């Protein structure tokens, strides 16, 4: 009865607020306390008892009442942080105010006239909340963010107090060293606190409020301007927040230390609720949002990573003003890298786990947020990137990514997941060690619908890419260039393809890369043999249509499948995966659109491996000639125009091959390496076949794998690699994708459902 009475009283207070036409004074505590002091409602109750229509009605008809409600709720949070929430009533008031602000804030952000309200100074909103503190008053947004930061390290509310006597006064609260109360052991913290269900739930409520504050970016149209920053994130990650370092460490450690399987007891997730998983989901979402920083204008490190990162305790550290990005870029200890990499790999591999008992193991759903976090780790901390590639641990990241790519290749609603996976592989393939790591034999089987084979991880990469190109949906066309660039980067490119690739045959898919090389280096021969083993795959790719009319005809056949209908139909955008539907929509009916993906020329820059093993950037292809004297790469439009001209000429019967035409491209074929290879290997293979009477190619492949061509092949040309380069276009794409995933994942409660977001389109199918 008590809970029902509490909900009824709360609903009556909401009705009074919406029906009052006259402003309610801020000093009328009897009225305002109805919303937080006399109720014990859950966050689901708040969302159900405060309808969206009534929030908009108060915003339009009684704006002063809505402003006072927000101000009073922030004031209660500030008072709770000051008093350290000693009593249960104070804790309940803080939670109620947090839930109410989480409900109201999206409707503040969707109205441009209200968007600046929280950045205005309210009289009496000083740190102490008294009338004498007007000269020290902060904007409402700053007071809110600082109060939440204090509450996240409030002893006996969100952290376990081991020195209760030290927090008896407000002065001691402000002098509290929150680094002693980091939530989880890991990076920079060795003590693992005892798990506490109540503390985790309180942290989750406050993190959800933080995420709602940061979501103002959802209500602004997409803009590639690198100078645009989120003011909420900018302030929260500044030096004004004295809890920035322990909070960053707590979020990162909480995510990387989480083990959804635990002791591995079958079906334990069905018998007991995992209160840790909701906290981890909120933590990773807050973390990737606070790391949303476009660093394209800042000085980039050298390609060998020698200038990236310093000790965490360096004085006057270089880096961006965003402290979270700064802290992330300065992690340097190998044990910290190992902890982060193992944690992310464990969580990414969780959906791939197979047991004899069906559905006996808990499966997480926030793999998309983990991929964004891994991307930011590699992008902001080059030392971490080189640590990942230093050992075979990178394969623990590669295999789950290939699994997600293969699983999502035919689902148009998960094209965003395809993009983030390919972008990560493109970033990894820009480093020389990536191809070396692919040589490790692939033995651990994962549930993928790919042919059974015996080989290396390079074989797996080629097979999955082949399935994406041949059986993926038509919206994946922009990714084909990236897929082929990854293959070219990973196998150590050597021998240049002919410039007249569009005349030689159907190798249009590989001929787009004039710097692509058919590699036969002794140090990476396993990758070459992987291509030999998968020669049927490449033969099928070579048989794909090469002329534009045939390609267009094939795409039209694919487009016959029904497309999702956009809410407004005004924006053509690709949609991304949503793990769960946003209530009260029907399951699987909501999707979010993406901005256009930048082309491969915008995503990458050419780098050349010098004699000393380091990488140096090259000028654009239009400004230089290639290493073997071939002209610079033609513009894509020029190539297609020439190909279209040849195709039309052939169709009309006005063109026929001539000996001069054959010589024009045959003279440019890089046959020296191939001919030397054949001169050496053909006699050896023939002798083995005659001596042993071999009829099976497996013995021949085994002989080739254990052979060497050191000293026999011509001196190779310099290796050219396309390395990912940061740019405002990809930064905008990641921002859209990140917020789209967060929008679809937060459905209990549905924080942003049915609000007028501008960053992406909401598609209903």
């Amino acid at each position: 009865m008590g809970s029902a009475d509490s909900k009824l009283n709360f609903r009556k207070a909401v009705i009074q607020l919406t029906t009052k036409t006259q402003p309610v004074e801020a000093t009328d505590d009897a009225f305002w306390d109805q919303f937080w002091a006399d109720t014990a409602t859950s966050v689901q109750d708040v969302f159900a008892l405060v309808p969206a229509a009534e929030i908009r009605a108060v915003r339009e008809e009684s704006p002063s009442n809505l402003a006072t409600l927000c101000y009073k709720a922030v004031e209660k949070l500030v008072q709770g942080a000051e008093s350290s929430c000693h009593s249960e009533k104070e804790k309940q008031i803080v939670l109620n105010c947090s839930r109410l602000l989480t409900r109201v804030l999206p409707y503040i952000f969707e109205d441009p006239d209200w968007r600046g309200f929280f950045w205005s100074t309210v009289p009496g909103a000083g740190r102490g909340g008294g009338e004498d503190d007007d000269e020290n008053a902060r904007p409402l947004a700053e007071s809110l963010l600082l109060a939440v930061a204090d509450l996240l390290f409030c002893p006996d509310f969100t952290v376990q107090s081991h020195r209760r006597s030290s927090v008896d006064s407000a002065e001691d609260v402000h002098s509290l060293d929150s680094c002693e109360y980091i939530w989880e052991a890991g990076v920079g913290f060795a003590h693992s606190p005892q798990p506490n269900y109540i503390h985790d739930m309180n942290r989750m409520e406050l993190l959800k409020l933080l995420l709602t504050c940061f979501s103002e970016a959802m209500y602004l149209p997409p803009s590639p301007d690198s100078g645009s920053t989120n003011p909420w994130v900018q302030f929260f990650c500044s030096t004004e927040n004295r809890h920035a370092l322990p909070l960053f460490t707590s979020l990162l450690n909480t995510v990387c230390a989480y083990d959804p399987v635990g002791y591995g007891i079958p079906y334990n997730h069905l018998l007991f609720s995992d209160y840790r998983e909701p906290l981890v989901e909120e933590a990773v979402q807050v973390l990737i949002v606070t790391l949303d920083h476009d660093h394209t204008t800042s000085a980039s490190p050298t390609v060998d990573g020698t200038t990236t990162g310093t000790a965490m305790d360096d004085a006057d550290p270089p880096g961006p003003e965003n402290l979270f990005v700064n802290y992330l870029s300065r992690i340097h200890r190998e044990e910290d890298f190992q902890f982060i990499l193992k944690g992310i790999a464990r969580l990414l591999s969780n959906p791939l786990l197979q047991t004899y008992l069906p559905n006996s193991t808990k499966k997480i759903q926030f793999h998309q947020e983990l991929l964004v976090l891994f991307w930011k780790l590699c992008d902001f901390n080059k030392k971490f990137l080189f640590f990942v590639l230093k050992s075979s641990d990178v394969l623990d990241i590669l295999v789950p990514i290939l699994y997600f790519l293969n699983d999502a290749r035919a689902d148009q609603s998960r094209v965003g997941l395809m993009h983030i996976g390919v972008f990560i592989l493109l970033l990894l393939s820009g480093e020389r060690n990536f191809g070396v790591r692919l040589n490790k034999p692939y033995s651990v089987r994962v549930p993928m619908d790919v042919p059974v084979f015996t080989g290396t991880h390079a074989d797996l990469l080629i097979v999955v890419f082949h399935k994406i190109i041949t059986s993926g949906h038509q919206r994946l066309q922009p990714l084909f260039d990236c897929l082929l660039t990854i293959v070219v980067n990973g196998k150590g490119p050597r021998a240049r393809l002919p410039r007249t690739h569009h005349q030689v045959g159907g190798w249009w898919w590989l001929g787009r890369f004039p710097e692509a090389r058919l590699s036969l280096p002794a140090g990476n021969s396993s990758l070459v043999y992987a291509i030999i083993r998968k020669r049927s795959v490449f033969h099928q790719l070579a048989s794909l249509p090469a002329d534009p009319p045939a390609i267009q005809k094939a795409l039209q056949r694919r487009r016959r499948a029904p497309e999702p209908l956009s809410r407004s139909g005004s924006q053509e955008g690709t949609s991304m995966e949503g793990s769960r539907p946003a209530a009260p929509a029907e399951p699987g009916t909501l999707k979010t659109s993406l901005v256009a993906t930048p082309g491969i020329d915008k995503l990458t820059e050419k780098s050349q491996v010098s004699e000393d093993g380091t990488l140096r950037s090259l000028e654009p292809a239009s400004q230089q000639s290639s290493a073997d004297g071939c002209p610079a790469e033609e513009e894509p439009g020029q190539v297609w125009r020439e190909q279209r001209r040849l195709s039309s000429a052939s169709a009309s019967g006005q063109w026929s091959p001539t000996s001069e035409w054959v010589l024009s491209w045959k003279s440019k074929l890089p046959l020296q390496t191939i001919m030397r290879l054949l001169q050496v290997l053909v006699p050896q293979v023939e002798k083995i076949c005659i001596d042993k009477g071999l009829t099976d190619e497996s013995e021949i492949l085994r002989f080739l794998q254990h052979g060497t061509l050191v000293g026999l092949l011509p001196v190779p040309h310099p290796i050219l690699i396309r390395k990912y380069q940061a740019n405002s276009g990809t930064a905008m794409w990641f921002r859209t994708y990140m917020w789209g995933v967060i929008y679809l994942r937060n459905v209990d409660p549905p924080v942003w459902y049915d609000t007028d977001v501008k960053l992406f389109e909401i598609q209903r199918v």
Side-chain angles (χ1 to χ4, degrees), residues 341-605:
L341 180 58
K342 287 294 185 183
I344 294 179
R346 177 177 59 250
L347 293 175
L348 286 177
S349 302
N350 172 259
L352 284 63
L353 295 178
Q354 296 185 92
T355 59
Y356 291 106
L357 300 175
N359 302 321
S360 63
T361 305
K362 182 178 180 62
K363 301 296 179 66
I364 65 169
Q365 301 294 329
F366 53 92
H367 51 274
Q368 295 183 93
E369 295 96 316
L370 290 170
L371 291 176
V372 175
L373 176 60
F374 181 78
W375 167 271
K376 292 184 179 297
L377 282 162
C378 294
D379 193 23
F380 290 139
N381 193 321
K382 296 304 179 187
K383 284 190 175 181
F384 175 77
L385 174 60
F386 296 127
F387 176 84
V388 170
L389 294 167
K390 188 174 68 172
S391 68
S392 297
D393 291 340
V394 65
L395 302 178
D396 296 334
I397 300 292
L398 172 69
V399 173
I401 290 177
L402 293 178
Y403 167 81
F404 294 134
L405 292 179
N406 181 70
D407 185 59
R409 71 182 189 278
D411 188 352
Q412 296 193 30
S413 67
R414 301 169 71 187
V415 69
L417 177 60
M418 297 290 296
H419 280 70
I420 181 66
V422 171
F423 285 168
I424 291 176
L425 296 183
L426 180 64
L427 180 67
L428 296 176
S429 70
E431 307 302 330
R432 290 173 296 159
N433 282 341
F434 179 73
V436 177
R437 303 306 165 209
L438 291 179
N439 293 334
K440 185 177 181 180
Y442 174 67
S443 56
V444 179
R445 305 298 173 184
V446 297
M448 283 194 286
D449 57 337
V450 297
V452 178
F453 65 90
T454 301
T456 65
H457 285 77
D459 295 277
L460 178 65
L461 182 87
I462 294 172
V463 168
V464 172
F465 282 10
H466 167 259
K467 292 182 74 69
I468 294 173
I469 294 175
T470 57
S471 61
H473 55 82
Q474 53 92 14
R475 286 184 173 178
L476 298 181
Q477 282 285 121
L479 289 179
F480 289 178
D481 287 349
C482 292
L483 295 177
L484 300 172
T485 300
I486 294 167
V487 175
V488 170
N489 287 348
K491 67 185 182 64
R494 293 289 185 190
R496 179 174 293 277
L497 291 176
R499 283 297 307 144
T500 53
H501 56 81
H502 55 285
Q503 300 172 358
V504 177
W507 292 81
W508 61 271
W509 56 274
L510 188 56
R512 292 183 182 180
F513 305 96
E515 74 275 15
R517 314 237 174 188
L518 302 174
S519 70
L520 291 171
N524 206 19
S525 57
S526 295
L527 292 180
V528 180
Y529 298 130
I531 296 177
I532 295 176
R533 287 192 298 269
K534 296 295 174 286
R535 59 190 180 276
S536 60
V537 168
F538 289 96
H539 176 73
Q540 182 179 357
L541 292 177
S543 303
L544 293 176
D547 56 300
I551 295 175
Q552 189 66 23
K553 185 177 180 180
L555 291 179
Q556 288 176 353
R557 287 197 299 268
R558 291 188 181 184
R559 290 195 183 103
R560 293 174 184 173
E563 297 284 345
L565 299 178
S566 172
R567 178 178 62 180
S568 64
S570 61
Q571 176 180 347
E572 292 184 8
T574 53
S575 56
M576 70 185 68
E577 174 191 20
S579 306
R580 300 187 294 261
E586 293 296 326
T589 60
L590 290 184
K591 297 176 176 62
T592 56
S593 63
L594 293 173
V595 296
T597 307
I600 188 66
D601 57 329
K602 302 294 185 182
L603 284 172
T604 59
E605 64 179 0

Side-chain angles (χ1 to χ4, degrees), residues 101-110 212 215 219 751-752 755:
L101 287 172
T102 301
R103 178 55 170 162
V104 171
L105 275 172
Y107 299 92
I108 299 288
F109 294 150
E110 73 173 5
T212 308
S215 67
Y219 300 91
V751 180
W752 300 281
T755 59

Side-chain angles (χ1 to χ4, degrees), residues 310 313-319 326 330:
T310 58
D313 55 353
D314 278 354
D316 298 325
N326 201 342
R330 293 163 57 195

Side-chain angles (χ1 to χ4, degrees), residues 96 116 125 161 166 233 275 277 431 456 460 500 598 656 681 718 748 760:
N96 287 337
S161 174
S166 66
V233 174
Y275 61 86
E277 183 181 10
E431 307 302 330
T456 65
L460 178 65
T500 53
S656 59
L681 293 182
D748 187 23
F760 43 76

